[in-house]
């Protein structure tokens, strides 16, 4: 460890991370090389952008150089990119800014193989400590004369000092390899690793055994997006996708084309197979790099709408002025036009995938369905196209998905609307008594179990002119549809007269008082005595609970619907006639609690519920 300079302490998270990295045995140690090369490439991208947007900055050919020393067992990675000042070294190589990353580190353990995840959490630099306890970084910021040396042995502290007699441009990272990583001082092994993980890096990577010569260039360094499709292998796409997305799954689908028209640009986009860890981050941004003639000008645009943020890729357009400031980039005409075209292209690709490859689309839907649903209420213009993508389980299918088109195709004669229920899970939804009337008529019910379903379905959706209706709101239309299944229980021969029924409903309304907003008849109930429904123009439960949490809006009272033909109701009506006030009171409360439970809720008041149940059981003989 160098003497002089300042000894500084790593933050607690960095410390924990280093503890784990230096003490674990990882199977794929080579990730450190991929991460450091990716940082070197980022540094070159940044300097290239500066040199183009600021006319007073001139630069040499940007490149990355790797030097291995098999006798000293060291490897160094250097670049002539943007470099770091002393402050930047402290900021970037001593702390961790992102809160998501902090949580990741807190949950990390020595036994997991964290190596594949390191890059996506913005802690790639520290991967050097997977292969070493002794790392030094020499760096000079492009617009300064001062060179600084950062060094650490991977324990609690690091040292930063100014070096007077050194002249470098950019950054040089030198790693003294630990015993179990001596392989990375071998030229051939390093060359193979770079070929495998970093061939797509956009700057030449040279490899040599001496710092005084460049050695040979070992990567292709071509902008893969500008090449004709036929010249690119699956593996090359795969590697490029991994590089961009920081995820290590296979792309599920690749969109690669040259747009020709008013503006010309290359587009290379990837649809992932699995969810990236940050899919539900507040930022809701896609990993998209915007190039102008192979110069990276921004990796933080809003070209991809938030509900397609799982996409990663590259757009390279020669028609955007290179000097456009990042602030006004979003309003640039060319960018706006690209934005629109790209969105259409992604959605049409997804629609095509849904038609051509159902299995693949199901994988896509499992991972990204909830995100696509955000688009239905965020992007009015695309709503109909997005509705075509929607997949769901229904009362007709346990496994596999259905689409709205399929639903419409299988509608029953006289069926007016598309019916759905929102629920926490498929089986509870199916057990909800509200479904009885539908099931008896073999009318398909869409079962929606994502929290987001309560949002998009609340926006008055129509598909091919058919309204999407919550099962609570469709019971009246059901009477026009023929019953196909007989009720499981035989209907009681006795019947309540209309006037008795009216009285009974009035009595239940009185007894249940403030606990319900309404008690009413539901003639389509079959096996259940009662059920809960939601009133007209009232949000579903999930939505109501969210609004309650966020805005303090109180929940609306449930509507209790009763089955006029059910034995229990007939008994209740008799109790009423015989003035058994206490029994009516207990039964009405038990019925309300029963209905709440069948709707996935808790009884109104657990203590009373318990008492009422005991009362009831006490009556058995
Ligand atoms: P990330 O690359 O995701 O930001 P890293 O841990 O890999 O996270 O790097 C942290 C930061 O350190 C980078 O964002 C960059 O600012 C700085 N850095 C790392 N390597 C270099 C380099 N070779 N040249 C200039 N800056 C670098
Ligand atoms: Mg990095």
């Amino acid at each position: 460890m160098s003497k002089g300079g300042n000894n500084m302490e790593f933050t607690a998270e960095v410390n924990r991370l280093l503890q784990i990295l230096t003490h674990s045995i990882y199977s794929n140690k080579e990730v450190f090389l991929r991460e450091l090369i990716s940082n070197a490439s980022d540094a070159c991208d940044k300097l290239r952008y500066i040199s183009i947007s600021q006319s007073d900055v001139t630069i040499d050919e940007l490149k990355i150089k790797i030097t291995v020393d098999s006798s000293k067992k060291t490897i160094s990675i250097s670049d002539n990119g943007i470099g770091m000042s002393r402050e930047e070294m402290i900021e970037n190589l001593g702390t961790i800014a992102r809160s998501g990353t902090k949580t990741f580190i807190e949950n990390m353990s020595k036994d997991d193989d964290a190596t594949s995840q390191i890059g996506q959490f913005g802690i790639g630099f520290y991967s050097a400590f997977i292969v070493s306890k002794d790392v030094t970084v020499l760096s000079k910021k492009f617009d300064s004369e001062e060179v600084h040396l950062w060094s650490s042995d991977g324990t609690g502290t690091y040292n930063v000092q100014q070096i007077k007699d050194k002249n470098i441009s950019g950054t040089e990272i030198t790693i003294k390899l630990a015993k179990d990583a001596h392989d990375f001082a071998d030229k051939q092994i390093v060359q193979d690793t770079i070929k495998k993980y970093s061939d797509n890096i956009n700057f030449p990577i040279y490899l040599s055994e001496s710092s005084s010569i460049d050695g040979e260039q070992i990567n292709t360094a071509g902008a893969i997006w500008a090449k004709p499709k036929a010249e690119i292998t699956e593996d090359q796409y795969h590697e490029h996708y991994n590089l961009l997305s920081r995820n290590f799954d296979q792309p599920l689908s690749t969109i690669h084309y040259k747009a020709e028209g008013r503006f010309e640009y290359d587009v290379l986009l990837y649809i992932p197979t699995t969810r990236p860890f940050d899919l539900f981050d507040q930022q809701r941004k896609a990993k998209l790099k915007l190039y102008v003639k192979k110069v990276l000008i921004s990796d933080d645009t809003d070209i991809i709408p938030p509900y397609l943020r799982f996409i990663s890729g590259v757009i390279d357009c020669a028609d955007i002025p290179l000097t456009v400031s990042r602030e006004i980039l979003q309003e640039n005409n060319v960018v706006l036009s690209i934005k629109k075209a790209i969105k259409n292209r992604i959605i049409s690709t997804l629609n095509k995938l849904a038609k051509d490859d159902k299995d693949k689309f199901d994988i896509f839907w499992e991972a990204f369905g909830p995100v696509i649903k955000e688009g239905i209420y965020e992007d009015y213009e695309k709503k109909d196209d997005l509705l075509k993508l929607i997949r769901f389980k229904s009362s007709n299918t346990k496994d596999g998905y259905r689409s709205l088109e399929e639903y419409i195709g299988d509608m029953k004669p006289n069926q007016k609307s598309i019916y759905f229920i929102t629920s926490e899970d498929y089986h509870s939804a199916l057990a909800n008594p509200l479904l009885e009337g539908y099931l008896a008529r073999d009318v398909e019910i869409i079962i929606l179990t994502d929290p987001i379903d309560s949002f998009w379905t609340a926006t008055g959706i129509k598909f091919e002119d058919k309204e999407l209706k919550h099962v609570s709101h469709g019971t009246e239309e059901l009477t026009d549809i023929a019953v196909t299944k007989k009720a499981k229980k035989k209907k009681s021969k006795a019947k309540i007269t209309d006037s008795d029924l009216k009285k009974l409903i009035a009595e239940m309304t009185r007894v249940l008082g403030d606990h319900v907003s309404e008690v009413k008849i539901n003639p389509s109930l079959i096996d259940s005595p009662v059920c809960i429904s939601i009133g007209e123009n009232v949000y579903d439960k999930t939505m109501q609970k969210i609004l309650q949490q966020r805005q303090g809006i109180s929940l609306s009272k449930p509507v209790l619907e009763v089955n006029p033909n059910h034995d229990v109701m007939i008994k209740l009506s008799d109790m009423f006639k015989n003035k058994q006030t206490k029994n009516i009171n207990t039964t009405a409360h038990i019925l309300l609690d029963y209905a709440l439970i069948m709707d996935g809720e808790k009884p109104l008041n657990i203590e009373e519920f318990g008492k009422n149940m005991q009362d009831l059981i006490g009556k058995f003989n």
Side-chain angles (χ1 to χ4, degrees):
M1 169 76 53
S2 44
K3 299 283 172 310
N6 284 85
N7 275 322
M8 321 261 253
E9 288 191 11
F10 285 119
T11 60
E13 294 87 20
V14 177
N15 243 330
R16 175 167 163 76
L17 176 65
L18 292 183
Q19 271 263 330
I20 293 171
L21 293 181
T22 49
H23 288 94
S24 308
I25 299 157
Y26 291 118
S27 52
N28 48 342
K29 293 194 177 63
E30 70 267 17
V31 296
F32 88 94
L33 204 52
R34 184 187 74 201
E35 293 301 331
L36 298 182
I37 289 175
S38 134
N39 285 352
S41 164
D42 291 347
C44 292
D45 267 329
K46 286 177 193 160
L47 185 58
R48 182 152 70 179
Y49 178 74
I50 290 172
S51 78
I52 282 161
S53 50
Q54 301 175 19
S55 54
D56 55 332
V57 179
T58 52
I59 52 169
D60 298 334
E61 188 213 3
L62 292 163
K63 59 188 178 191
I64 299 166
K65 195 184 153 191
I66 319 276
T67 312
V68 291
D69 186 326
S70 56
S71 56
K72 288 199 194 129
K73 305 293 180 209
T74 59
I75 179 167
S76 80
I77 295 99
S78 58
D79 64 77
N80 55 354
I82 189 167
M84 279 176 280
S85 64
R86 179 173 189 279
E87 289 67 37
E88 285 168 334
M89 281 181 143
I90 294 169
E91 178 69 26
N92 297 330
L93 315 180
T95 64
I96 286 166
R98 284 162 54 186
S99 57
T101 305
K102 288 182 185 166
T103 323
F104 164 71
I105 294 172
E106 276 157 24
N107 296 329
M108 225 169 129
S109 85
K110 279 186 187 138
D111 311 316
D112 338 315
D113 198 344
T115 44
S116 66
Q117 291 178 307
I118 253 177
Q120 39 170 324
F121 283 97
I123 46 179
F125 167 74
Y126 301 106
S127 65
F129 291 94
I130 293 172
V131 290
S132 170
K133 286 197 172 78
D134 187 352
V135 177
T136 62
V137 182
L138 203 56
S139 193
K140 181 177 92 62
K141 183 92 187 215
F142 76 100
D143 57 358
S144 156
E145 293 307 313
E146 291 179 8
V147 177
H148 290 96
L149 178 71
W150 179 104
S151 56
S152 174
D153 60 4
T155 55
T157 61
Y158 61 96
N159 182 284
V160 186
Q161 58 180 299
Q162 195 177 342
I163 302 286
K164 287 267 163 42
D165 52 352
K166 201 100 183 163
N167 185 21
I168 62 160
S169 55
T171 304
E172 182 180 317
I173 299 179
T174 305
I175 292 172
K176 176 116 190 55
L177 293 162
K179 268 212 185 72
D180 59 358
H182 280 179
D183 275 0
F184 296 104
D186 180 290
K187 193 174 164 210
Q188 192 57 49
I189 289 175
V190 171
Q191 177 163 345
D192 293 346
T193 311
I194 294 173
K195 265 299 219 200
K196 183 162 156 210
Y197 290 111
S198 311
D199 195 45
N200 266 313
I201 291 285
N202 213 3
F203 300 93
I205 304 174
Y206 296 97
L207 174 62
S208 96
E209 286 172 305
S210 150
S211 56
S212 54
I213 52 164
D214 268 353
E216 55 178 317
Q217 181 180 335
I218 45 175
N219 64 329
T220 322
I224 176 172
W225 59 88
K227 288 185 195 162
K229 258 171 144 165
E231 283 175 24
I232 307 167
T233 65
E234 281 303 308
D235 281 351
Q236 284 169 321
Y237 277 133
H238 186 179
E239 184 218 315
H240 183 236
Y241 161 73
N242 291 159
L243 193 74
L244 277 175
S245 68
R246 322 297 290 152
N247 269 334
F248 296 94
D249 53 338
Q250 286 259 6
L252 185 73
S253 194
T254 302
I255 306 173
H256 187 185
Y257 66 99
K258 189 177 211 55
E260 279 158 344
R262 197 144 67 98
F263 307 112
E264 276 189 16
Y265 49 93
D266 292 304
V267 178
L268 176 51
L269 305 174
Y270 301 97
I271 301 170
T273 311
T274 57
R275 280 187 186 179
F277 82 100
D278 55 359
L279 187 63
F280 292 102
D281 264 16
Q282 290 280 307
Q283 278 208 322
R284 305 171 79 224
K285 284 231 157 149
K287 296 181 186 79
L288 182 82
K289 294 195 168 191
L290 178 64
Y291 288 83
V292 172
K293 295 183 215 142
K294 299 183 191 166
V295 176
L296 178 68
I297 62 165
S298 179
D299 53 8
D300 184 27
T301 68
D302 63 3
I303 290 179
I304 307 246
Y307 66 87
L308 298 174
R309 61 186 175 276
F310 46 82
I311 298 276
S312 54
V314 168
I315 292 168
D316 194 335
C317 175
D319 297 323
I320 300 171
L322 259 168
T323 48
V324 65
S325 87
R326 287 177 201 207
E327 291 69 42
I328 62 159
L329 187 63
Q330 315 278 20
E331 286 129 51
N332 178 280
N333 257 344
V334 189
V335 174
L336 289 175
S337 147
I338 293 179
K339 190 170 163 178
K340 193 162 178 199
I342 294 282
K343 179 170 84 179
N344 289 339
R345 184 64 173 240
I346 296 170
I347 295 173
S348 66
T349 304
L350 288 172
N351 265 312
K352 191 168 174 337
L353 185 69
K355 285 205 180 73
D356 297 351
D357 195 336
K358 194 175 172 333
D359 292 345
K360 240 187 183 179
F361 189 76
D362 283 356
I363 296 175
F364 167 79
W365 187 255
E366 284 279 345
F368 303 112
V371 181
I372 291 284
K373 287 170 181 172
E374 294 169 13
I376 295 174
Y377 57 86
E378 284 182 355
D379 192 348
Y380 188 77
E381 196 191 317
K382 284 274 138 195
K383 190 165 90 176
D384 291 339
D385 290 311
L386 295 173
L387 283 172
K388 285 190 192 136
L389 294 178
I390 295 277
R391 294 291 178 276
F392 48 81
K393 301 217 158 93
S394 82
S395 51
N396 290 7
T397 52
K398 270 202 198 68
D399 342 287
Y401 288 112
R402 301 264 294 160
S403 67
L404 285 172
E405 271 158 353
E406 288 169 323
Y407 183 101
I408 298 242
D410 290 343
M411 272 168 68
K412 292 281 164 280
N414 294 335
Q415 183 177 344
K416 292 199 184 68
S417 315
I418 300 170
Y419 303 108
F420 71 91
I421 184 166
T422 49
S423 172
E424 269 167 34
D425 67 282
Y426 180 84
H427 291 284
S428 325
L430 266 192
N432 194 313
L434 265 177
L435 268 51
E436 285 172 7
Y438 297 86
L439 297 177
R441 292 166 174 82
D442 213 11
V443 170
E444 182 170 14
I445 301 139
I446 296 178
I447 297 178
L448 299 170
T449 53
D450 283 330
I452 187 128
D453 291 324
S454 302
F455 286 77
W456 68 270
T457 55
T459 57
I461 301 288
K462 275 191 173 174
F463 185 77
E464 293 181 7
D465 281 343
K466 300 274 186 287
E467 217 178 310
L468 237 81
K469 282 194 179 169
H470 189 279
V471 282
S472 286
H473 305 143
T475 39
E476 272 160 33
E477 299 172 0
L478 278 184
T479 41
D480 297 341
I481 307 172
V483 174
T484 52
K485 283 177 200 151
K486 287 271 169 291
K488 277 179 224 144
K489 274 188 210 154
K490 267 203 227 131
K491 267 193 194 167
S492 170
K493 285 198 192 81
K495 242 187 162 290
I496 315 181
T497 63
D498 282 354
S499 81
D500 282 350
L501 191 60
K502 248 195 198 140
K503 285 182 205 153
L504 178 62
I505 299 271
E507 177 62 5
M508 287 180 78
T509 310
R510 191 188 67 77
V511 167
L512 294 173
D514 270 355
H515 300 311
V516 292
S517 66
E518 190 186 354
V519 180
K520 66 175 197 183
I521 297 166
N522 177 346
S524 69
L525 281 174
I526 296 172
D527 296 319
S528 302
V530 283
C531 72
I532 296 289
S533 74
I534 48 177
E536 281 302 326
N537 303 319
V538 173
Y539 288 126
D540 78 356
K541 278 183 305 176
T542 318
M543 185 77 157
Q544 284 197 38
K545 284 178 191 165
I546 292 170
L547 291 174
Q548 185 191 34
Q549 249 175 23
R550 292 198 190 153
Q551 297 168 20
I553 296 172
S554 50
L555 298 178
S556 59
K557 307 246 161 63
V559 176
L560 182 70
E561 297 189 341
V562 304
N563 178 352
N565 302 317
H566 199 281
D567 276 352
V568 171
M569 287 303 142
I570 292 161
K571 274 194 192 129
L572 204 60
S573 177
D574 289 343
M575 282 180 212
F576 184 53
K577 278 188 242 166
N578 302 331
K579 304 215 160 52
Q580 296 171 322
T581 326
K582 186 166 180 285
N583 284 352
I584 292 189
N585 195 1
T586 312
T587 317
H589 277 95
I590 290 181
L591 284 173
L592 175 59
D593 285 339
Y594 163 85
L596 285 168
I597 293 170
M598 294 311 284
D599 195 37
E601 297 297 300
K602 276 195 205 151
L604 219 46
N605 176 326
I606 301 268
E607 203 183 334
E608 296 241 323
F609 175 71
K611 255 198 244 140
N612 287 339
M613 282 314 259
Q614 291 200 31
D615 260 13
L616 185 69
I617 295 163
K619 295 207 164 71
F620 296 157
N621 40 32

